[in-house]
Amino acid sequence: MAGLFPLLIFSAVIGAGINAGLFFIFSVCIMGALGRLPAEQGIAAMQSINVVILNPLFALAFFGTALLSLVLVAGGFMTGSPARFYMIAGGLLFLAGTIGVTVVFNVPMNNALEGLQPQSEEAARLWSSTYLVDWVRWNHVRTLSSIGALGSFVMAFRAA
């Protein structure tokens, strides 16, 4: 198994990097652009994004990196490799800060937005008071945790 760690870590570097880039662009560009639109248009665009993003390539990058993170955390506890600390740190950052935050915070807000008519007052209220504030705040956490995981996995790869 130890001989597989460099390949697994390298794959985790790629996955964490893809996720970090995805969440980064939402934090620094997409949500700001959607927030400049009238609420109805921003909501409709976000509803569309939330449908389109559920595709096999996204699932591979998101859930595949989660699986790699689990394996690397477990492997980190079972190996004496100098990479172990970085494997554990990267895996925990990705699992808690990216997957955990997505499941506990962002997805429920996406689901709440999905069920609303974009032109309704309720949707506009949710959009401005919750989505453009809380969803974005939690997306920043996902961005930072994915970047932290990426950095940890790079360090693990160097140490492996």
Side-chain angles (χ1 to χ4, degrees):
M1 180 71 169
L4 279 178
F5 284 141
L7 177 61
L8 296 174
I9 295 167
F10 182 76
S11 299
V13 167
I14 301 299
I18 289 169
N19 282 280
L22 171 70
F23 297 129
F24 177 80
I25 197 68
F26 269 91
S27 283
V28 303
C29 180
I30 293 171
M31 294 310 294
L34 295 181
R36 289 177 171 225
L37 297 172
E40 178 180 331
Q41 293 174 13
I43 293 165
M46 192 67 197
Q47 287 172 329
S48 182
I49 289 169
N50 286 337
V51 169
V52 171
I53 201 166
L54 299 177
N55 65 67
L57 287 175
F58 171 77
L60 177 64
F62 191 69
F63 296 113
T65 306
L67 179 60
L68 287 167
S69 294
L70 282 171
V71 170
L72 291 174
V73 167
F77 284 111
M78 295 187 302
T79 184
S81 166
R84 70 183 175 276
F85 170 77
Y86 297 113
M87 291 163 57
I88 294 167
L92 292 177
L93 277 167
F94 194 82
L95 291 169
T98 304
I99 300 297
V101 166
T102 298
V103 170
V104 172
F105 298 104
N106 295 89
V107 168
M109 286 186 254
N110 289 348
N111 292 342
L113 191 69
E114 177 187 339
L116 299 176
Q117 292 299 319
Q119 61 274 28
S120 72
E121 286 182 35
E122 181 184 4
R125 216 174 12 262
L126 177 70
W127 180 251
S128 64
S129 68
T130 302
Y131 217 84
L132 290 176
V133 177
D134 296 334
W135 191 97
V136 171
R137 183 179 301 125
W138 286 112
N139 190 70
H140 295 332
V141 172
R142 297 188 302 179
T143 302
L144 293 173
S145 66
S146 293
I147 292 169
L150 171 61
S152 295
F153 290 143
V154 166
M155 295 302 293
F157 187 74
R158 287 185 48 142

